[in-house]
Amino acid sequence: MTNERKSIHGEWSNRLVFILAATGSAVGLGNIWKFPYLTGENGGGTFVLVYLLCIALIGIPVMMAEIMLGRRGRQSPINTMKMLAKDENRNQSWVWLGRMGIVAGFLILSYYSVIAGWALSYVFRTGSGMFIGASTDVVNGIFGDLVGDPERLLAWHTIFIVMTMVVVARGVKNGLETAVRYLMPALFALLLMVVAYAMTTGHFMEGVRFMFMPGKITNAGVLDAMGHAFFTLSLGMGAIMVYGSYLPRGTSIVQATMYIAIADTVVALLAGLAIFPIVFANGLEPGAGPGLIFKTLPIAFGQMEAGTLVGTAFFILLTFAAWTSAISLIEPAVAWLVENKGINRLYASMYTGIATWLLGLGTVFSFNIWSDKTWSIPYIFKNYSFFDTLEKLTFNLMLPLGGLFIAIFSAWCMREASSREELDTSRWIYRLWQILLRYVTPIAVIIVFLKAIGAINS
Ligand code: PHE
């Protein structure tokens, strides 16, 4: 019976389109903006190692599970969970997993869009040649001026939200394919060019050592590494589940997941290799926080041959990568509105776009007029800026929690016959997947949570 379910939103035309779309969702600001600054803040090597372990042992099996649930339910995450809970004779409260995911996607997009706006604005900053030969101070100043100006941030945030909602309104299947098929490889090529430049700085090995030599890590750092494994693979909130719901039968979920996870990880590591040598060559601080790539890459573009051209192209492609991720962040919410509220995609996109834009104002202001204002969530976080609060809430809490429940549902609550049929893989891969989801993911997530709570309250 489940085999005949069809998505009312249509299907990907083939397997390649799905892989491209899911890679488009996975590869984004998480890889190029976030991974380097988290690595820098958490002291390098050990963080990278824990992140890679989390990708292999938690991220990959959870991604297979999400695609599988989506393809079996064929609806938005909320309705998919409702349907599957019924199929498997489980409690209807599993719909809360879908609900939490939709809220997480909405919260994440509200700040993701502001950061994507930075990338977009750097297209024009780099294009105007203002970084040619610029000193570290000048580059820092340009970044400071941007984030200090609420009007400019607001304008870029607005443009990015509109771009995202236009694509979502037309249906994610139209347009995504070209964007990902040509632009992702181009982004990859430009990253390689920056890595090549980084090799000429004389500090390349220092960057490599920073990234791969194990050192110290805090409990909060381990929590960051785990959260990042979910974030960078777009897991724990239903984005990959909803993309899975458009996946035609007969596609190998295991194989598709491996392609996506490998592409995503390679891009992140390349971004690190591009950025850290520049950090060390210019005496910058690896722990500079969210501004890290905007304070380092322009120095490279200002010095390298044809840097204005390369830099402009780079920020254009980074914006595209962010765009294809942003679309997947809001698709679960839009799919649900279309299914349950009887409105068409255009209106569903408009409403969610406006709501996300409004919430994004908080992040815009947290870098300037609200920079002294702090927020707390009782028992969870104390005294963070608006941006940090949203970011930590989603990244450190909601995504791992979503991943934990996805693991529990697919490996403990679903009948083996169902998951086996859907995954359709060899016996030992199935068993490995099951063991990782049954034991490794839940235990790891719970231990990391408990330790992090200890760290926050100590
Ligand atoms: N994976 C995206 C990135 O790395 C972000 C994202 C998270 C997208 C969750 C969808 C869902 O930028």
Side-chain angles (χ1 to χ4, degrees):
M1 164 201 82
T2 37
N3 278 334
E4 283 146 28
R5 248 174 228 153
K6 281 235 168 338
S7 168
I8 60 162
H9 311 279
E11 277 186 15
W12 306 110
S13 35
N14 58 51
R15 178 181 88 128
L16 182 68
V17 182
F18 166 75
I19 293 179
L20 289 172
T23 308
S25 165
V27 176
L29 294 172
N31 307 61
I32 291 168
W33 160 72
K34 192 158 191 141
F35 173 72
Y37 92 75
L38 282 179
T39 304
E41 280 181 344
N42 287 300
T46 311
F47 174 85
V48 175
L49 186 72
V50 178
Y51 151 78
L52 290 175
L53 279 176
C54 288
I55 293 281
L57 300 178
I58 304 178
I60 289 177
V62 170
M63 179 176 272
M64 291 175 189
E66 260 202 66
I67 302 175
M68 169 188 95
L69 297 180
R71 188 166 70 180
R72 211 160 172 83
R74 290 259 182 245
Q75 296 172 56
S76 71
I78 294 183
N79 291 325
T80 284
M81 289 316 296
K82 192 187 244 165
M83 170 97 48
L84 295 182
K86 202 153 111 217
D87 284 354
E88 307 290 329
N89 283 324
R90 298 292 168 176
N91 195 303
Q92 279 294 309
S93 350
W94 280 105
V95 296
W96 282 98
L97 175 56
R99 290 192 183 134
M100 182 176 74
I102 285 185
V103 174
F106 161 70
L107 298 179
I108 295 175
L109 183 59
S110 80
Y111 64 81
Y112 200 87
S113 161
V114 176
I115 312 292
W118 298 358
L120 189 52
S121 77
Y122 267 64
V123 171
F124 300 93
R125 283 178 175 57
T126 316
S128 71
M130 72 201 303
F131 294 123
I132 297 173
S135 67
T136 326
D137 286 343
V138 170
V139 170
N140 259 331
I142 291 173
F143 180 71
D145 286 346
L146 172 69
V147 296
D149 182 348
E151 273 172 39
R152 270 193 263 173
L153 286 192
L154 188 60
W156 295 115
H157 164 57
T158 310
I159 295 173
F160 189 80
I161 286 280
V162 171
M163 280 167 56
T164 303
M165 296 335 284
V166 165
V167 177
V168 177
R170 301 181 52 198
V172 292
K173 288 172 293 301
N174 310 328
L176 252 190
E177 187 177 350
T178 353
V180 189
R181 195 195 288 258
Y182 300 104
L183 300 175
M184 287 285 143
L187 177 65
F188 189 79
L190 283 186
L191 259 182
L192 283 178
M193 287 173 74
V194 187
V195 175
Y197 165 82
M199 287 178 174
T200 66
T201 58
H203 288 74
F204 189 68
M205 284 322 287
E206 206 176 326
V208 172
R209 250 178 274 128
F210 180 75
M211 276 182 70
F212 297 107
M213 278 267 285
K216 282 212 188 80
I217 192 164
T218 59
N219 286 332
V222 176
L223 181 66
D224 274 347
M226 183 178 76
H228 191 65
F230 287 110
F231 185 85
T232 191
L233 292 178
S234 308
L235 300 174
M237 49 69 64
I240 291 293
M241 197 187 291
V242 88
Y243 276 14
S245 76
Y246 311 144
L247 182 64
R249 302 239 123 243
T251 303
S252 160
I253 292 180
V254 174
Q255 233 179 40
T257 301
M258 294 313 292
Y259 286 130
I260 302 163
I262 290 172
D264 188 78
T265 310
V266 170
V267 173
L269 294 177
L270 281 181
L273 288 177
I275 284 157
F276 287 110
I278 304 175
V279 168
F280 296 121
N282 295 282
L284 295 162
E285 197 31 68
L292 186 66
I293 67 161
F294 298 96
K295 294 176 181 170
T296 49
L297 290 176
I299 300 178
F301 299 137
Q303 286 173 8
M304 67 203 253
E305 194 86 28
T308 300
L309 191 69
V310 174
T312 311
F314 180 87
F315 283 113
I316 291 177
L317 293 169
L318 180 59
T319 306
F320 264 104
W323 197 8
T324 53
S325 300
I327 290 162
S328 72
L329 277 164
I330 207 66
E331 174 65 15
V334 170
W336 177 76
L337 284 174
V338 171
E339 284 164 15
N340 281 48
K341 300 291 163 200
I343 50 178
N344 63 26
R345 281 195 87 87
L346 179 65
Y347 282 100
S349 308
M350 260 166 45
Y351 297 145
T352 44
I354 291 170
T356 322
W357 179 83
L358 276 174
L359 186 66
L361 298 182
T363 295
V364 164
F365 297 147
S366 73
F367 292 104
N368 35 68
I369 51 182
W370 283 358
S371 59
D372 294 332
K373 218 171 152 65
T374 60
W375 310 70
S376 300
I377 301 179
Y379 305 111
I380 309 181
F381 303 122
K382 278 192 280 234
N383 301 335
Y384 281 120
S385 73
F386 190 90
F387 165 66
D388 287 340
T389 307
L390 269 194
E391 205 255 355
K392 298 223 180 296
L393 177 67
T394 48
F395 178 83
N396 285 346
L397 198 71
M398 294 175 91
L399 296 187
L401 213 55
L404 170 68
F405 285 113
I406 287 167
I408 295 178
F409 185 83
S410 33
W412 288 104
C413 301
M414 237 173 142
R415 278 165 298 143
E416 259 198 50
S418 319
S419 51
R420 212 181 253 286
E421 176 190 34
E422 205 64 43
L423 279 183
D424 191 22
T425 180
S426 73
R427 236 186 128 75
W428 74 268
I429 293 185
Y430 180 82
R431 277 278 168 255
L432 181 64
W433 172 82
Q434 196 181 40
I435 291 170
L436 288 173
L437 280 192
R438 277 201 167 166
Y439 307 102
V440 178
T441 305
I443 294 173
V445 173
I446 291 169
I447 292 181
V448 176
F449 268 159
L450 291 177
K451 290 221 162 201
I453 291 173
I456 289 167
N457 292 324
S458 63

